[in-house]
Every structure is written in structure tokens, then in C-alpha cells.
Amino acid sequence: VTAMTSEKLDAAGVTDLSQVQDNAPNMTFDTSAPLTGTSSAASIYMRGIGSSEFALSSDPGVGLYVDGVYLARSIGAVIDMVDTERVEVLRGPQGTLFGRNTVGGAVNVISKAPSTEFGGQARVTIGSDQLIRTQGTLNLPISETVLSRISFMNTKRDGYVNNRAGTFDDLGDEKRWSARGSLQWAM
């Protein structure tokens, strides 16, 4: 098991799920599954077990779970790490805990839960190729029994290879929005 807290994810500069492989032994995360035409398809391998198949009729060899919900398909599974409490990487078959779709292992992403304190944070990152990444979180207790939390992330970056034909975006362009909201009601 490799467990990474939000502090470790921030210190390592992890902005999306594919970068977790740099901190988890025996894990390979390929974001360009063959023939998908997208960089948001996740091909996760643990100890050499995984699948690069993206078809709707096949299950991946490594299960991906976000807040306990199984993401059954690889398309769109390269998720942004916005307001994440921790990421757990479990190597080896995990059928007893997670079910049949975890032959190679499981990646479990847990979001931060709403709290009773009002507060928030914002961050702006500027980098090469005109990178601008903004992200923020607002924890908003509505009442003593209803709590809410809202998070967002926006990333824009120019590509590193110019497309002279103008038919497509430049290679490496990033234009992504992520948002998550949670509402907790305690009786």
C-alpha cells in the first residue's frame, strides 16, 4: 500500500492522477491509451498487470475509485487532484475489498469532506508555455447539520509544438476545468 496525504501531493506538485506514479512503486500510468485520440484515457498498470483497452465492453485490470465509486471505463479517468484528502495505491489483487475489477490492484482517491468551519483557499500557478493554473476551495457550513464544500481548478497552457495548418490545437495544449461540490447532512 502506498498512501499519499494532501500535504505530500502538494509537496510533490501532483496536479492530476497520472502524476501519482512518480510516488508509487510498481505503478505505471499511461495517459495516451492506443487509438483513443485523447490524453484523458487512463491505462494503469501495477506490477505489469493492466489494460490499454479503452472499449466500453472491457474492464481495466486496475480499479480506479473516487470516494468509493468505481470508474468503470478509462476514458476521462485522468482526473485533476482538486481538494484531495489522500490517494491510496493498493498493489496486487484486491477482490475481497473492492470486487472483481481489481486483478492488478486498486487506486482509491478520497476527497476532503466538508467541515464545520467557514474558510477557503486559493492558489495561482504560473509556468512555462504560458501556463496559468488557478484553483480554489470554499468550505461553507450552511447550518449545524448541513455542511458544504466547493472546489474548482482551471488550467490553460500553450502547446509546445505549433500546428502550422491551424486545423487542430497545438500539440500539448491544455484547456481544462474541474469542479467538485459536496453536501453533507447530519441528522
Side-chain angles (χ1 to χ4, degrees):
V1 175
T2 300
M4 291 165 274
T5 63
S6 60
E7 292 80 17
K8 184 173 182 179
L9 293 168
D10 282 344
V14 174
T15 58
D16 69 46
L17 191 60
S18 67
Q19 297 167 335
V20 169
Q21 73 174 343
D22 299 334
N23 297 290
N26 301 318
M27 178 183 180
T28 305
F29 201 112
D30 184 11
T31 60
S32 57
L35 306 173
T36 62
T38 180
S39 62
S40 68
S43 291
I44 307 171
Y45 290 84
M46 297 227 199
R47 297 179 177 167
I49 299 172
S51 175
S52 62
E53 182 63 50
F54 68 94
L56 294 176
S57 59
S58 67
D59 290 327
V62 175
L64 176 59
Y65 298 83
V66 178
D67 294 330
V69 177
Y70 174 60
L71 298 183
R73 301 297 169 249
S74 64
I75 301 294
V78 181
I79 58 176
D80 290 325
M81 294 283 100
V82 180
D83 203 27
T84 304
E85 180 179 320
R86 69 183 182 277
V87 175
E88 301 167 344
V89 177
L90 299 100
R91 288 174 287 286
Q94 301 293 324
T96 303
L97 297 174
F98 290 99
R100 70 176 182 91
N101 298 315
T102 56
V103 176
V107 178
N108 193 17
V109 179
I110 295 102
S111 304
K112 289 185 180 176
S115 70
T116 57
E117 295 180 21
F118 175 80
Q121 65 179 15
R123 179 185 299 171
V124 176
T125 305
I126 299 172
S128 62
D129 296 322
Q130 298 181 353
L131 168 71
I132 298 176
R133 179 177 296 119
T134 56
Q135 64 187 54
T137 300
L138 178 62
N139 194 68
L140 184 62
I142 298 170
S143 71
E144 290 182 13
T145 58
V146 179
L147 309 174
S148 67
R149 189 173 187 100
I150 301 167
S151 304
F152 75 92
M153 181 179 203
N154 179 26
T155 303
K156 283 187 176 186
R157 176 180 242 163
D158 286 345
Y160 47 85
V161 175
N162 291 331
N163 179 5
R164 300 278 183 208
T167 53
F168 300 102
D169 288 340
D170 292 343
L171 187 61
D173 269 2
E174 286 186 69
K175 297 174 187 160
R176 297 188 323 219
W177 276 95
S178 299
R180 175 179 33 239
S182 57
L183 189 64
Q184 183 177 9
W185 178 37
M187 294 180 155

